[in-house]
Amino acid sequence: MIYMDNAATSFPKPPEVIEAVTAALNAPASPGRSGHAASLAASRTIHQARKNLSKLFGLADNRRLAFTANITWALNTVLEGCGLKAGDHVISSALEHNSAARPLARLVAERGILWDVAPVDGRGLSSPEDFRKLLRPATKLAVVNHASNVTGALAPARAIKEALGGVPMLLDAAQTAGAMDLEDVGTWLDYLCFTGHKSLLGPTGTGGLWLREGLALRPLATGGTGSASESLTQPDFLPDALEAGTANTHGLAGLAAGTTFVRQTGPRNIRRHDMNLTGQFLDGLAQIKGAAVWGPTDLEQRVSTVAVTLGGWSSSDLAAALEREAGILTRAGLQCAPLAHQALGSLASGGVTRFSFGIFNTAAEIDVALETLDKLSYQKMG
Ligand SMILES: Cc1ncc(COP(=O)(O)O)c(C=O)c1O
């Protein structure tokens, strides 16, 4: 098996992650609830995950980072809870995943918010100027997918924030957290959402959000926190305000280990590795008859997710043939991002076949993918 679907979830996980999950499952612990040693140990593990992520994102106060089940829950928490009301205006990029786009569409339908989408150019790149042009007095939030999970296109996040002139910005870092240096986001961003199971190398069922000092969110759910238990009101201090219910202890133990791996390897080294593979893949694709790349070819403007179509093949037939011929796992179709496909013009034709590389992929695997694509191209195009 050659795993090239890391944008969906990373595989393999480092052995330390599996060991940490197993150890947590073998411990009798409900973190932050009881006073016994096992419960305290579980709390410490979760604290380690919070500390590691705060270091990765350059956050001054790790209590402002709350864990959620995934980034979908984190995005919903911000979008539903940041106080948007009828007539408030939101701008998003054209590359939003459905986990941001569907909550936005529901806020439009049910709460009467107004939503504009900033266009992208022919390569699927966003420009800060396009966000600036959409600003109105009623603009209360901008939502930006840091890297497209379809094309890998990176948004110029900090420049967009500067163009917004004080309007708060929510960054969806699902595809960038752990894959590149984000150490400065805590100094300029308003809301950051991340998921734990992609480049942060943790298990599924982990993710979270951070909000800067001065912002507050209405929690999506209220419940037990192990703190202020005498009160029927959800605590208003972070992270407890946003962490109702028993934590996913074994998941967060795995995330602590995944983020330790990322910090020890170094996000810049991870990016260098990923970009070397992506460059090799893009160079090879340029030689294959009928192969087209949807998205930027400049490595500075992208991450290691590459959207491909091949003449004569539908995206799903191509993905199936790659698996059949060489055990290569990719993802076909729309990748839960119809807005991105609409902007690129690949919606009507059934989307693209997406290759996405991670820290454990090798140059030899890229060669196999290219050879297989070349062979499949020959079958249809001669
Ligand atoms: C850009 C982006 N945002 C959000 C998500 C949703 O992630 P999760 O399913 O972990 O909530 C994904 C997952 O593919 C994504 O790529």
Side-chain angles (χ1 to χ4, degrees):
M1 188 247 279
I2 297 181
Y3 188 75
M4 295 188 164
D5 198 12
N6 288 279
T9 198
S10 55
F11 183 85
K13 307 296 181 189
E16 304 91 294
V17 170
I18 292 162
E19 281 158 24
V21 172
T22 309
L25 279 172
N26 276 318
S30 176
R33 302 298 194 270
S34 313
H36 54 71
S39 176
L40 296 177
S43 297
R44 274 197 299 276
T45 302
I46 293 177
H47 181 63
Q48 189 61 48
R50 215 184 297 279
K51 237 170 66 182
N52 285 355
L53 285 156
S54 297
K55 288 257 162 52
L56 276 174
F57 301 141
L59 312 179
D61 180 358
N62 63 33
R63 289 169 304 185
R64 302 193 70 77
L65 185 149
F67 288 117
T68 58
N70 45 45
I71 191 173
T72 302
W73 190 271
L75 289 163
N76 273 269
T77 302
V78 178
L79 293 170
E80 287 280 338
C82 71
L84 293 170
K85 54 186 189 324
D88 286 347
H89 178 238
V90 177
I91 308 171
S92 82
S93 83
L95 303 174
E96 297 311 313
H97 188 278
N98 272 345
S99 57
R102 284 182 173 166
L104 280 172
R106 193 164 74 167
L107 287 169
V108 171
E110 294 180 1
R111 225 187 274 178
I113 70 146
L114 308 167
W115 171 23
D116 273 322
V117 174
V120 285
D121 69 12
R123 285 267 166 213
L125 292 164
S126 307
S127 107
E129 184 55 17
D130 285 327
F131 278 80
R132 199 193 55 74
K133 280 189 204 149
L134 291 170
L135 284 172
R136 303 182 198 170
T139 308
K140 293 287 165 22
L141 183 70
V143 182
V144 177
N145 183 0
H146 197 192
S148 166
N149 61 303
V150 176
T151 63
L154 267 172
R158 190 160 185 177
I160 293 173
K161 170 65 190 163
E162 278 158 19
L164 291 170
V167 168
M169 182 167 125
L170 160 58
L171 191 68
D172 172 343
Q175 295 294 338
T176 52
M180 60 191 291
D181 184 2
L182 294 185
E183 242 182 66
D184 69 344
V185 290
T187 63
W188 57 268
L189 189 61
D190 303 288
Y191 301 102
L192 175 73
C193 293
F194 60 92
T195 206
H197 63 99
K198 299 186 196 273
S199 296
L200 292 170
L201 304 173
T204 49
T206 59
L209 64 91
W210 165 82
L211 62 162
R212 75 160 159 76
E213 188 78 47
L215 295 171
L217 292 168
R218 181 176 191 274
L220 272 186
T222 58
T225 55
S227 55
S229 296
E230 69 290 353
S231 171
L232 291 183
T233 305
Q234 185 75 1
D236 61 2
F237 53 87
L238 289 165
D240 298 30
L242 300 175
E243 290 185 352
T246 302
N248 174 7
T249 312
H250 57 285
L252 294 175
L255 183 59
T259 47
T260 296
F261 180 96
V262 167
R263 288 188 61 213
Q264 282 171 352
T265 310
R268 286 167 198 260
N269 294 329
I270 292 172
R271 178 155 171 82
R272 197 170 306 121
H273 165 86
D274 291 354
M275 288 303 103
N276 283 342
L277 298 185
T278 307
Q280 179 190 348
F281 189 57
L282 292 173
D283 288 348
L285 280 175
Q287 311 302 318
I288 296 175
K289 198 169 166 186
V293 173
W294 298 69
T297 47
D298 180 348
L299 295 181
E300 294 289 311
Q301 296 176 318
R302 61 160 31 263
V303 294
S304 56
T305 292
V306 185
V308 175
T309 50
L310 191 63
W313 289 91
S314 72
S315 71
S316 50
D317 285 352
L318 180 59
L322 286 161
E323 184 169 11
R324 196 174 54 241
E325 294 283 329
I328 298 168
L329 305 192
T330 57
R331 175 151 176 211
L334 302 182
Q335 294 86 24
C336 295
L339 289 180
H341 284 282
Q342 198 170 28
L344 290 163
S346 48
L347 190 58
S349 56
V352 298
T353 307
R354 181 185 73 181
F355 294 75
S356 47
F357 314 123
I359 185 67
F360 297 114
N361 283 118
T362 63
E365 289 177 331
I366 301 288
D367 283 339
V368 175
L370 290 167
E371 281 157 22
T372 311
L373 282 166
D374 197 36
K375 184 170 148 197
L376 295 173
S377 156
Y378 189 74
Q379 283 179 15
K380 298 277 182 189
M381 310 196 69

